[in-house]
Amino acid sequence: MTNYKNYRAEKIMFYLEGIRNGTRIFPPSLQIALTDKCFNQCVMCGHWKREKKATLDCDVLINFLENAKICGDLQSVCYSGGDPMAYKDLDEIMCWHVENEIPFGIITAGYVPSGISMDLLREAEWIRVSLDAFDADVYSEVRGGVGIEKVKESVEKMARNGCNVEFGITLTKANFGQVGKLASFAQHLNVKNFRVWPVRHCEAYAIEEAQKAEAIARLESAEHLLQIYDIGNNIDEAIQIMKSGELQDFPCCKATLFQLFVTATGDIMPCCILAGDSNESALWSNNLGTIDDSCEDIMEAARKFSEIPRDSLPLACDGCTSRLQTINKFASTHWEDKYFV
């Protein structure tokens, strides 16, 4: 079963020396919002409310990826949005990855419009479906937009065609009662990974104090089922966050040296948080450059950002995610380490 803390540490350590010593001139990973368009209207997200919904030009994006591969030794890309499935040139982007042997993953709400190649989706390292409910009434409340039956149909089709489907659940006071059904659905589809994160920055749907005991009990019950079928999960971490929160102390943002975020407008941002990927707009008025800039210039800007003391970072950095905090904490702690072979 996946131990996410160790898994992250191993990935960070693999690239740390090259990043520290300056021999790596571009982060090994990117998260790219292909489009602001989405099929859902989630209560915890304001992205779908953006009046102007940008979309990356496919040719410009591929040129950027080519440069990142040749100059910066790009290792992997995570595609998000909006919803990548709403990007009309998704097949062309996936073809590029297959031809260049660069792994990619997709974060999606799960609905796959007709015309997107299942053969190419099968090539994704993982397709993480933000499936926050199993029952139609709950799904309609927390995610809205396209109905749950269409989503289930698409998810089942992907699983049936050999795609590596994972589940990523945002837990709210409206849907924590669904986690058992979602775990059973994961087992039915032979899903290998099941992640749960308590909702962030959405007080109206945050799990109330009086509900936490029941929510934790349901998570523990779901974890038992997932363990029986050897489905990797982060439920222990999710429970810990519910009990004590997720804010850690880290001296500066080293995470931006490991993965950058590209918005649908082509701006390079330090992370998804400052890009406002679940907000109506970006939470930082600056950027580290654009996809028209050179890898060297982008990395130089990232290095400068990574040296800003924690108390001088943008206010939105107070909302740093557990994943990014882990990178920051680990990289900062081991920045000067030297090892015997």
Side-chain angles (χ1 to χ4, degrees), residues 75-216:
Q75 296 290 299
S76 65
V77 181
C78 165
Y79 289 105
S80 60
D83 196 317
M85 300 297 181
Y87 186 68
K88 65 181 181 63
D89 295 315
L90 181 59
D91 279 7
E92 190 169 345
I93 297 299
M94 292 192 291
C95 276
W96 182 88
H97 279 274
V98 173
E99 291 168 0
N100 289 274
E101 298 182 339
I102 293 180
F104 69 99
I106 294 174
I107 299 175
T108 173
Y111 171 62
V112 183
S114 61
I116 294 180
S117 169
M118 283 290 158
D119 289 337
L120 289 170
L121 287 175
R122 193 184 303 121
E123 297 290 337
E125 292 291 301
W126 42 260
I127 301 172
R128 189 167 305 137
V129 178
S130 303
L131 190 66
D132 292 346
F134 187 84
D135 295 330
D137 57 337
V138 182
Y139 190 88
S140 178
E141 178 182 356
V142 297
R143 296 201 71 88
V146 66
I148 184 60
E149 294 308 320
K150 286 187 176 180
V151 174
K152 287 181 188 175
E153 183 180 328
S154 290
V155 174
E156 289 173 337
K157 183 178 180 180
M158 286 192 288
R160 195 167 57 245
N161 279 274
C163 299
N164 183 21
V165 175
E166 300 182 350
F167 284 0
I169 316 302
T170 299
L171 210 64
T172 71
K173 68 179 185 180
N175 74 340
F176 70 78
Q178 297 276 289
V179 70
K181 291 183 178 180
L182 291 169
S184 295
F185 191 42
Q187 180 267 317
H188 168 70
L189 296 178
N190 198 28
V191 165
K192 294 295 187 291
N193 282 302
F194 187 102
R195 301 189 189 186
V196 180
W197 302 109
V199 68
R200 309 168 70 252
H201 309 303
C202 183
E203 292 304 315
Y205 274 83
I207 296 174
E208 298 171 3
E209 199 61 40
Q211 299 173 313
K212 284 186 177 180
E214 181 184 354
I216 289 171

Side-chain angles (χ1 to χ4, degrees), residues 3-10 237 326:
N3 181 314
Y4 285 107
K5 189 172 182 179
N6 291 342
Y7 175 62
R8 292 183 194 129
E10 289 170 6
E237 185 175 359
T326 299

Side-chain angles (χ1 to χ4, degrees), residues 254-278:
K254 297 297 185 187
T256 190
L257 299 175
F258 292 85
Q259 184 185 72
L260 290 172
F261 189 95
V262 182
T263 71
T265 60
D267 288 317
I268 310 292
M269 301 292 277
C271 65
C272 60
I273 301 298
L274 294 185
D277 71 332
S278 61

Side-chain angles (χ1 to χ4, degrees), residues 15-25 257-258 299 303 334-338:
Y15 295 109
L16 192 148
E17 185 175 9
I19 289 173
R20 178 186 63 200
N21 295 341
T23 54
R24 167 166 282 281
I25 63 168
L257 299 175
F258 292 85
M299 190 62 167
R303 287 192 182 281
H334 297 280
W335 192 252
E336 300 296 338
D337 287 1
K338 295 178 175 61

